[in-house]
Amino acid sequence: MKTLPTVSQYVEATAKALANRANPHIASGQMAYMKNHFEFFGIKSPERKLLQQAIRASYQLPTKADAQIIARHFWGQPQREYQYLAQELLFKYKRQFEQQDIALFQFLVTHKSWWDTIDFIAPNLIGTYFKIFPEQRDPHIQQWLDSGNIWLQRSAVLFQLKYKAELDTECLTHVINSLLGSKEFFINKSIGWVLREYGKTNPEWVINFVERTPLENLSRKEAMKRLG
């Protein structure tokens, strides 16, 4: 029978599973791909899922409060797989999100920041959160746009990535217009990405928006990639 783990039990089980599956050859390639910003165990996504399944075979999910402690602990570890496991663990509590959880999500965005974690956190954690607490959206988005932090700004662009027909075009327009003129690759790439994704739902709106907005070439190219 599976038991409810303590924080230390969950952390120790994860550390052991990661060490057992470490592959230095794969880790070397992963580090190079990520510009040597992070260390890696050398565990790819399918193996990481098997690792999670093995832990769940012995333990129930931790309580939400313990999961947040675990996530912060994982975020402090040098190997990037810990951060992937942390954000994936938190997403399992999406039906239990509380208003104060935005502080944790913002912490994750602004620490050990790079595109790989932002691109999970923004649409999955933050995007889900703002659907539950819509009154929190505009104040936080404006704060992030004004922050000068490119990862908070990228999150402001990408939180609606999976919204499809629920995407708020007025909000997206404000976000993109606020970032026009940026020469930051990760900002302009994200603008093109969210427009391209929304183009699958509302191509006419995206085409009209691109035609009337002085986007950077990268954003324009990405937005129109499937629209001709």
Side-chain angles (χ1 to χ4, degrees):
M1 182 177 178
K2 292 192 291 187
T3 60
L4 185 68
T6 64
V7 169
S8 61
Q9 285 174 327
Y10 196 92
V11 167
E12 289 168 10
T14 302
K16 183 178 179 179
L18 287 168
N20 287 342
R21 289 170 171 79
N23 185 319
H25 176 70
I26 293 175
S28 177
Q30 290 174 322
M31 290 175 63
Y33 180 66
M34 297 298 289
K35 310 294 186 184
N36 293 309
H37 285 295
F38 310 101
E39 297 177 25
F40 281 86
F41 282 105
I43 300 171
K44 295 183 178 181
S45 180
E47 274 289 301
R48 195 170 68 247
K49 292 178 181 177
L50 291 176
L51 180 154
Q52 293 169 313
Q53 291 172 8
I55 294 173
R56 287 201 298 271
S58 299
Y59 294 113
Q60 301 174 28
L61 276 176
T63 66
K64 178 172 179 279
D66 282 351
Q68 292 184 330
I69 295 171
I70 291 165
R72 284 184 178 271
H73 173 79
F74 284 177
W75 221 258
Q77 303 309 302
Q79 295 88 358
R80 196 57 164 170
E81 288 90 347
Y82 273 114
Q83 283 89 67
Y84 299 154
L85 290 171
Q87 61 192 21
E88 291 160 4
L89 175 63
L90 291 174
F91 188 58
K92 295 183 185 298
Y93 301 86
K94 58 183 180 295
R95 298 185 186 280
Q96 302 178 41
F97 283 173
E98 300 171 274
Q99 185 170 315
Q100 66 268 23
D101 290 342
I102 192 64
L104 174 58
F105 302 153
Q106 183 167 312
F107 170 86
L108 302 183
V109 168
T110 55
H111 291 76
K112 300 213 168 164
S113 310
W114 199 240
W115 62 264
D116 56 334
T117 50
I118 305 307
D119 292 359
F120 182 94
I121 296 165
N124 292 297
L125 300 182
I126 294 172
T128 300
Y129 174 89
F130 283 147
K131 282 188 175 182
I132 299 171
F133 301 103
E135 74 282 358
Q136 296 293 316
R137 188 193 72 179
D138 290 352
H140 281 95
I141 292 303
Q142 191 59 53
Q143 176 190 344
W144 297 349
L145 290 172
D146 294 340
S147 70
N149 183 301
I150 65 169
W151 304 113
L152 289 172
Q153 292 172 341
R154 186 175 171 101
S155 298
V157 175
L158 293 179
F159 82 90
Q160 294 195 90
L161 186 68
K162 297 183 178 182
Y163 278 19
K164 297 183 179 180
E166 296 181 274
L167 185 142
D168 184 334
T169 55
E170 183 177 345
C171 176
L172 181 61
T173 299
H174 171 68
V175 168
I176 293 175
N177 284 342
S178 297
L179 296 171
L180 289 178
S182 173
K183 301 303 180 184
E184 174 54 56
F185 172 86
F186 290 110
I187 296 299
N188 292 320
K189 186 81 170 181
S190 67
I191 290 172
W193 184 16
V194 73
L195 289 171
R196 184 175 76 245
E197 193 65 22
Y198 187 51
K200 299 174 184 177
T201 298
N202 193 343
E204 183 178 355
W205 186 91
V206 171
I207 291 169
N208 289 337
F209 180 83
V210 170
E211 287 178 347
R212 69 175 186 269
T213 306
L215 298 170
E216 294 293 319
N217 288 337
L218 174 59
S219 299
R220 185 178 301 274
K221 180 180 178 180
E222 288 292 322
M224 299 299 292
K225 191 172 282 186
R226 291 187 174 86
L227 295 177

